[in-house]
Amino acid sequence: MTIARDLGTGALGLVIPASLLTGWLEASLPVPLLAMVCYLIMAGLVLANLPAHWRELGWANRVTLGRGAIVALLAGTLADPDLLARSAFPLAILALLALLLDGVDGWVARRTSTQSDFGARFDMELDAFFILVLCLALLLLDKAGPWVLAIGAMRYAFVIAGLRMTWLTDPLPESRRRKAVCVWQVAALMIALLPMTGTTAASWLAGSALLALSWSFITDIRWLYRRASA
């Protein structure tokens, strides 16, 4: 019951800003609808992967869930490219809030001694979806070509490859490099989306994010391959 209440609170926390977005920024109806669909899919995945013995999400995962509601709202704006173009600053503030909360959930987990494999996975998959949303926004605004989707798709390509090459699914050690690359990806894509950032600068920023991500993935894949070979 507590988990259902948490997910319901997250849905309510999405409905209120979505309504404000529709009224204040004159967003079209598909925006809140797509946002809610994204949130419901996320909630379904949380329920499907939650450890069976858990009776509540815990505060760290609640923070991640709140961040997920923000990301779902940003995903909803993809249904209205005109809204993306004319309301870049308010949406950038939302994206910045999502980025800042990315560090809060881990801090809360450490402070409350509630670190878990589920929480780490929840956080990582939400990061991947957030990055994909920012990439799609850049593409819709014609600030980068289709190649920018490689940034958002790389995580999912890695997961699919792991279905065949199972050594890719082995656990990786904690890495500051991986976290730094993730933060740079989000920051670079957010800056690229701002109105004052021209197409050339946006492409360079997104390109730097793609190079950093490629280097990080290659480093991890090499480590996993060597470990499997040994």
Side-chain angles (χ1 to χ4, degrees):
M1 189 66 180
T2 303
I3 293 173
R5 186 166 61 246
D6 287 339
L7 294 174
T9 302
L12 182 62
L14 173 62
V15 168
I16 294 174
S19 301
L20 292 174
L21 203 65
T22 304
W24 179 37
L25 299 180
E26 299 180 351
S28 58
L29 182 60
V31 171
L33 292 179
L34 179 57
M36 186 54 68
V37 167
C38 289
Y39 179 83
L40 291 176
I41 292 173
M42 179 184 66
L45 291 172
V46 167
L47 288 174
N49 291 279
L50 202 67
H53 64 279
W54 281 27
R55 294 294 177 265
E56 61 177 19
L57 286 177
W59 283 109
N61 289 319
R62 287 173 186 140
V63 173
T64 308
L65 184 66
R67 186 162 64 92
I70 296 173
V71 173
L73 184 59
L74 291 170
T77 64
L78 298 175
D80 189 350
D82 290 338
L83 174 66
L84 281 173
R86 69 174 184 268
S87 304
F89 280 113
L91 297 178
I93 292 173
L94 276 178
L96 179 60
L97 178 59
L99 177 61
L100 294 175
L101 287 176
D102 189 19
V104 174
D105 50 10
W107 179 83
V108 172
R110 290 188 296 273
R111 292 284 294 181
T112 57
S113 299
T114 54
Q115 300 99 318
S116 67
D117 291 338
F118 169 81
R121 184 68 182 272
F122 187 13
D123 183 65
M124 179 175 61
E125 298 301 343
L126 184 58
D127 285 342
F129 182 61
F130 184 24
I131 290 167
L132 179 60
V133 168
L134 295 177
C135 291
L136 286 167
L138 272 178
L139 181 63
L140 288 174
L141 292 174
D142 292 324
K143 285 198 164 189
W147 60 266
V148 76
L149 297 181
I151 301 172
M154 202 172 298
R155 163 64 187 166
Y156 301 103
F158 181 79
V159 171
I160 293 172
L163 298 177
R164 188 172 183 83
M165 295 177 285
T166 54
W167 52 270
L168 287 173
T169 63
D170 289 344
L172 287 161
E174 286 289 323
S175 169
R176 291 185 179 179
R177 176 256 308 161
R178 200 178 302 120
K179 294 176 181 178
V181 168
C182 181
V183 171
W184 172 243
Q185 283 180 91
V186 176
L189 294 172
M190 283 172 51
I191 296 171
L193 284 168
L194 292 174
M196 71 281 294
T197 306
T199 302
T200 301
S203 294
W204 276 101
L205 285 165
S208 71
L210 179 57
L211 286 174
L213 182 63
S214 300
W215 163 68
S216 184
F217 265 96
I218 290 171
T219 301
D220 285 340
I221 291 170
R222 287 179 62 190
W223 187 90
L224 289 168
Y225 180 76
R226 289 173 178 173
R227 184 173 183 270
S229 299

